[in-house]
Amino acid sequence: MLIQLTDIHRTYQVGQEKVHALQGVSIGIEKGEWVAIIGQSGSGKSTLMNVIGCLDTPTSGRYMLNGKDVSHMVDDELADIRNREIGFIFQNFQLLPRETALANVELPLVYRGVGAKERRAKAIEALKAVRLEERMSHKPNELSGGQRQRVAIARALAGEPSLLLADEPTGNLDSATGEEIVKLFETLHGQGHTLVLVTHEPKLAARCPRAVRLSDGHVVADGPGAQVARA
Amino acid sequence: MSFRVDFIEGSRIALRSLSAHRLRTVLTTVGVGIGVATLLAILGIIQGLNTSFEKQLETIGPSSLYVSKRPWVQMGNWWEFRNRKNITMEQVEAVRAQSTFAEAVAPWMSNEEDISFNGIDLSAVDITGTTPEYAQVGGYDVTQGRFLTGSDDDNLASVAVIGADVASTLFPHSSPLGARIRVNGRPFAVVGVLAAKGKVLDENQDLTVLIPLKTFRALHNGYRSHTIGVKVRSPELLDAAEDELVGILRRARQTPPSKPDDFAINRAEQLAGVYNQLTGALYGVAVAIGFITLLVGGIGIMNIMLVSVRERTREIGVRRALGAKKRTIVLQFILEAVVVSAVGGLLGTIVGLLGAKVVSWVTPLAATVKASTVFFGVGFAAAVGLVFGIWPAARAANLDPVEALRHE
Ligand SMILES: Nc1ncnc2c1ncn2[C@@H]1O[C@H](COP(=O)(O)OP(=O)(O)OP(=O)(O)O)[C@@H](O)[C@H]1O
Ligand SMILES: [Mg+2]
């Protein structure tokens, strides 16, 4: 099991009130799976993504990632886990605007301490995987939305993480460009990558082999994408 | 991830961010630069003043002791000093005979009197009656004619060796040698002119007339106290020579063992104490002003760093998501602050040194600058960047990655 979440709670304190974003989530994800997380706005999808991505720590519960218990890790250890195990893909791309596509893709390798030559080679390889190697010296504002998201995917791939995490990756793209990205995910899934994808589009979720539906911080459905998306 | 990698990446990010905001960088740099420049100019002027004072002190003989009834720097009961026994010629002879450290011993007496020549008057000139050894003890050179001799003294000759300023005032167009000047109305033949020595704490050493000691004594009937100048073989022997002199004088003056010394042994260093007292507080204020200017520059840096952190909140979130540790972020922002400050420090140092030079050209203040000052300037500015960069950097590192990524 690559991911094993057991009874995960995440509670925010807002003034006097407590917001229970996750209320006892337990799911397991195997290596090579492609899982969509769906649910109404405010159901806790992003919160779950942040927990899985080790950007956020659960209030209670146990999280085993790749055999390691990350629920009680300190900040530096979590940074290392994010660097080695996770590849993030965000809705609004989150590229560094002043850096070239290549430099953006190199970034996770920089923080891993990989030497300049090897870093460059790996980054170019990742850009090739998203068919953007000719644009590697362009800055983000010189690229289209779809191209930007492909740079972001290349960045997520560059570090060869065990898990790709995407939060609404097509949310800022038109449907044709979104389709391009989904095709890319299908290719990556075919190559054996593990993908967890947050989306509110039932059509997209239906194309995933597996989907998990959240409601009010609870898992209310978990099964084949086409089935869960319809419900 | 190693510190080396953190450092290289941090420097790269810092330089990129600085060049992306050129105007802001320049303004911040100027802020620190002004602080460093002010501080260095002030320090340069102070160093210059101190050096010129040290040079002045050297003119009164760094390896000489001066025995007198009263200390140069008086502390305590004036009446007690006044009632002391005079220093007599017998005591001078005792020092001459017994001191093993002395290279030359010169007794003298002096008084302020009016002098004139050819209708030009000079009032309140220091008239000193002394012996040939005075040249050695006081470090006087003769530029024209000769110094006083032993036979001048034996013959009670009416001859005078005049200071450089006396010569230039009384003899603007002619040679003073052989001329007869009047000291308190009595004629004296000028036999020599002293080389210029300058001032010590406002006392002009060139406004002086030297005459033979016995001649002086004959003119001033009253019984006066001598000053004994003792030139010691080298400055390191001053303490030993002083101890020896105390013994010789106590014996010669028959000072009872139970009583403290009833005479004073002075040296140039004592004037340094007076100088430091006079100038210390002033310097303190000047340096404090310099530091405050630098502090203002530092606050400028902190302000700009806080702006930079706010602007780059998303970037910080991205870096954290991709695996940057807190210390990597801290280093990145501190390097940015330190680079701005160090560049400001370098510019400030150059401007400060030029400022000090300009001051020394347009005013009588002599500014000197030591090489170490430059390192001090740059190093200090960098330290200011470090201190004022820490807080913004810590704020950046402590941002919650999730919040930072969501920042607009
Ligand atoms: N930092 C926070 N402080 C307080 N409450 C929060 C915080 N982040 C999220 N929440 C709350 O937690 C709940 C789940 O939020 P989350 O962002 O996970 O929803 P989501 O399913 O991603 O919604 P969307 O589809 O709109 O993105 C919401 O009620 C939200 O208001
Ligand atoms: Mg969300």
Side-chain angles (χ1 to χ4, degrees), chain A residues 50 55-56 75-76 79-80 82-83 88 90 92 94 96 98-100 104 107-108 110-113 155, chain B residues 1 5 9 12 16 20-21 312 314-315 318-328 401-402 405:
Chain A
N50 292 336
L55 277 173
D56 196 5
D75 198 89
D76 273 6
D80 269 335
R82 289 196 293 270
N83 183 251
F88 287 100
F90 301 96
N92 48 4
Q94 303 282 23
L96 301 186
R98 284 197 292 269
E99 307 278 356
T100 62
N104 266 290
L107 209 52
V110 168
Y111 289 124
R112 200 179 293 181
R155 181 177 66 185
Chain B
M1 181 155 141
V5 178
E9 179 66 6
R12 209 181 60 83
R16 177 156 299 203
H21 302 281
R312 287 154 70 191
R314 275 252 299 255
E315 176 190 324
V318 172
R319 289 180 187 280
R320 294 277 281 134
L322 298 183
K325 299 195 171 106
K326 285 188 179 182
R327 61 165 181 270
T328 312
V402 176
L405 282 166

Side-chain angles (χ1 to χ4, degrees), chain A residues 42 45-47 91 167-168 198:
Chain A
K45 304 184 295 291
S46 294
T47 307
Q91 178 172 357
D167 193 350
E168 306 274 11
V198 167

Side-chain angles (χ1 to χ4, degrees), chain A residues 14-214:
Chain A
V14 183
Q16 298 293 324
E17 277 181 51
K18 286 193 161 148
V19 179
H20 300 279
L22 297 177
Q23 315 194 54
V25 172
S26 300
I27 43 176
I29 297 174
E30 296 282 359
K31 218 173 181 44
E33 272 197 278
W34 182 7
V35 184
I37 296 174
I38 56 174
Q40 303 264 297
S41 180
S43 56
K45 304 184 295 291
S46 294
T47 307
L48 182 60
M49 285 288 301
N50 292 336
V51 168
I52 294 174
C54 298
L55 277 173
D56 196 5
T57 40
T59 313
S60 69
R62 205 162 92 109
Y63 175 19
M64 297 291 291
L65 172 62
N66 219 355
K68 283 165 279 193
D69 185 350
V70 296
S71 10
H72 300 293
M73 281 189 174
V74 297
D75 198 89
D76 273 6
E77 294 170 315
L78 290 174
D80 269 335
I81 293 283
R82 289 196 293 270
N83 183 251
R84 288 170 192 282
E85 307 284 356
I86 316 283
F88 287 100
I89 299 153
F90 301 96
Q91 178 172 357
N92 48 4
F93 324 132
Q94 303 282 23
L95 299 174
L96 301 186
R98 284 197 292 269
E99 307 278 356
T100 62
L102 183 65
N104 266 290
V105 175
E106 281 186 35
L107 209 52
L109 300 169
V110 168
Y111 289 124
R112 200 179 293 181
V114 176
K117 243 190 190 160
E118 190 188 342
R119 207 160 72 199
R120 197 183 150 86
K122 285 195 164 166
I124 290 173
E125 205 178 304
L127 281 165
K128 277 185 182 153
V130 299
R131 299 185 322 280
L132 262 187
E133 67 271 26
E134 300 103 55
R135 299 295 166 91
M136 65 184 192
S137 50
H138 288 227
K139 303 228 166 122
N141 63 1
E142 299 158 353
L143 297 170
S144 73
Q147 286 170 333
R148 284 182 214 184
Q149 194 58 303
R150 270 148 65 195
V151 173
I153 293 170
R155 181 177 66 185
L157 289 171
E160 292 166 0
S162 36
L163 175 66
L164 294 175
L165 275 183
D167 193 350
E168 306 274 11
T170 58
N172 278 16
L173 302 173
D174 60 55
S175 52
T177 322
E179 180 55 32
E180 212 181 297
I181 298 296
V182 175
K183 286 255 167 62
L184 187 52
F185 281 136
E186 277 170 350
T187 314
L188 292 173
H189 174 59
Q191 289 166 354
H193 288 276
T194 313
L195 286 161
V196 175
L197 170 70
V198 167
T199 181
H200 62 266
E201 292 173 52
K203 266 204 250 163
L204 176 50
R207 286 167 71 176
C208 299
R210 179 182 167 196
V212 173
R213 182 180 288 280
L214 287 183

Side-chain angles (χ1 to χ4, degrees), chain B residues 324-361:
Chain B
K325 299 195 171 106
K326 285 188 179 182
R327 61 165 181 270
T328 312
I329 304 292
V330 167
L331 193 67
Q332 171 190 334
F333 282 93
I334 283 186
L335 279 171
E336 194 172 320
V338 168
V339 168
V340 174
S341 322
V343 171
L346 190 65
L347 296 179
T349 303
I350 294 166
V351 173
L353 296 190
L354 288 178
K357 269 274 171 281
V358 168
V359 166
S360 69
W361 287 331

